[in-house]
Amino acid sequence: DHPYVNQVLDATKLYQPSSFLIVRQDAVSTNALARLQCFESGAHMIANNTDSLSDAFLLVSSHISDKSSEGHAFDCPWCKVAPMSLASLCSHVPMYHSGHSEPDRVPACCPLPKCNRSWQAKSFNVHLTCSHGSLAGTQHTLAPYKAVALVVCRRPKDGKFLMIHEPAALCKPTKDRPLYWLPAGRLDAGEGFVDAAVRETKEEGGVDIRVVGVLRFELDSSKTWQVVLLAEPLVGEDEMVPCKSVPDFESVGAMWVDVTDLEKLDSQKHFRASDPLTYFPMVDNAIVNDKLE
């Protein structure tokens, strides 16, 4: 539906491969299928609002201008952007490349000083963040049991639901584009399901929420506790709450989607898992018919 956007992305990617490509057009950012098509054509970010543009520009410029205090300089293994400090590399890689497949040229062992570790099944992006970036040296530990919180977040103002672009490395089998899912994640040590839901929705979707109900509670075949929680934005019902645009390690952005827009998406090709197709219509139907308890 937006061929000229994809043509511009294809041409820019070909002639300026180190560029950070942003699409800012309401007709695209509010269209679930068009967003995926733009990522396939090389877009790094779909801007949901103009404020997110300045946030992205500031980050990109900081990567270029940052100097390493230790005297080290690192190239990005994807796009060979000008040498950066380790901190800038750890910010650059998930921002630029979470939406696309990792290239074959990424080495099997970490090339960074005093590391040289193999990340085996993990992606370079995950290894970089956890071992050298924002999670390095933290006391971040998962709960001693397997437990996952999933969030169905509905915006009362217009009845739209929050969908996340999952990092491409998590989207099997192809791992080449940021497919859709719910805000979700494993519980950290000492964390409850509601706390995890609030944290994950903020990290992945950029939205502060309050949990208003439980939609499902189960122990799955892998002995993992899964709780699907119903939530809504913290702000008033009349507010049009924006969601995340700038990609990072947690997600490649988010969008508010109407239930009717799901009909244009393929359950196999466009989702990391089909939970939105299950829960969005269910909640929408229950609210419309005043049956949600």
Side-chain angles (χ1 to χ4, degrees):
D1 293 338
H2 309 278
Y4 69 92
V5 175
N6 298 92
Q7 290 169 6
V8 171
L9 289 170
D10 289 337
T12 307
K13 183 175 64 174
L14 178 63
Y15 295 106
Q16 297 290 335
S18 298
S19 298
F20 185 75
L21 306 181
I22 303 173
V23 176
R24 173 68 186 113
Q25 186 181 70
D26 287 339
V28 171
S29 64
T30 58
N31 184 316
L33 186 57
R35 293 174 69 100
L36 290 176
Q37 291 170 341
C38 286
F39 281 121
E40 288 177 8
S41 294
H44 297 96
M45 169 178 155
I46 311 297
N48 296 317
N49 51 62
T50 52
D51 289 342
S52 64
L53 295 176
S54 58
D55 295 337
F57 292 152
L58 286 173
L59 273 173
V60 171
S61 63
S62 72
H63 298 163
I64 297 172
S65 62
D66 195 20
K67 304 290 185 180
S68 171
S69 59
E70 297 124 3
H72 296 301
F74 304 97
D75 289 335
C76 173
W78 272 262
C79 58
K80 300 300 181 183
V81 160
M84 295 171 281
S85 69
L86 178 57
S88 288
L89 180 67
C90 290
S91 174
H92 164 89
V93 167
M95 183 180 178
Y96 271 67
H97 305 298
S98 287
H100 308 106
S101 57
E102 295 194 357
D104 295 336
R105 65 175 175 270
V106 174
C109 293
C110 183
L112 301 181
K114 300 179 181 179
C115 183
N116 209 31
R117 273 176 47 192
S118 169
W119 48 85
Q120 298 175 351
K122 293 183 179 179
S123 71
F124 179 62
N125 190 354
V126 172
H127 170 80
L128 188 66
T129 300
C130 294
S131 298
H132 305 287
S134 58
L135 297 182
T138 67
Q139 298 302 311
H140 177 266
T141 55
L142 296 172
Y145 50 90
K146 290 183 179 180
V148 177
L150 298 90
V151 184
V152 175
C153 181
R154 180 181 180 273
R155 188 167 62 181
K157 174 69 175 178
D158 55 9
K160 291 187 175 183
F161 293 87
L162 185 65
M163 279 204 310
I164 305 302
H165 282 291
E166 289 284 293
L170 300 178
C171 298
K172 299 178 180 179
T174 58
K175 298 185 178 183
D176 61 355
R177 52 184 172 162
L179 305 183
Y180 290 117
W181 199 30
L182 303 174
R186 284 190 62 177
L187 273 62
D188 289 342
E191 191 175 43
F193 283 101
V194 171
D195 294 331
V198 171
R199 173 179 56 79
E200 291 287 352
T201 307
K202 181 63 174 179
E203 291 174 350
E204 297 182 357
V207 178
D208 293 306
I209 61 164
R210 60 171 172 268
V211 173
V212 298
V214 178
L215 298 174
R216 188 179 183 90
F217 188 93
E218 68 172 355
L219 181 65
D220 68 16
S221 58
S222 67
K223 306 298 182 183
T224 299
W225 289 105
Q226 288 197 5
V227 177
V228 183
L229 299 168
L230 179 63
E232 59 186 30
L234 269 178
V235 299
E237 292 188 359
D238 293 332
E239 296 285 341
M240 293 295 286
V241 185
C243 58
K244 178 177 176 179
S245 293
V246 181
D248 60 18
F249 176 70
E250 301 291 344
S251 75
V252 191
M255 74 170 297
W256 292 104
V257 64
D258 190 89
V259 170
T260 57
D261 292 336
L262 298 177
E263 299 172 359
K264 305 171 186 176
L265 300 177
D266 187 293
S267 62
Q268 300 298 317
K269 296 179 180 179
H270 299 146
F271 294 90
R272 179 186 177 188
S274 60
D275 299 288
L277 295 175
T278 300
Y279 292 106
F280 293 176
M282 182 183 78
V283 171
D284 186 67
N285 181 68
I287 289 176
V288 169
N289 295 290
D290 198 24
K291 294 181 179 179
L292 191 66
E293 297 180 357

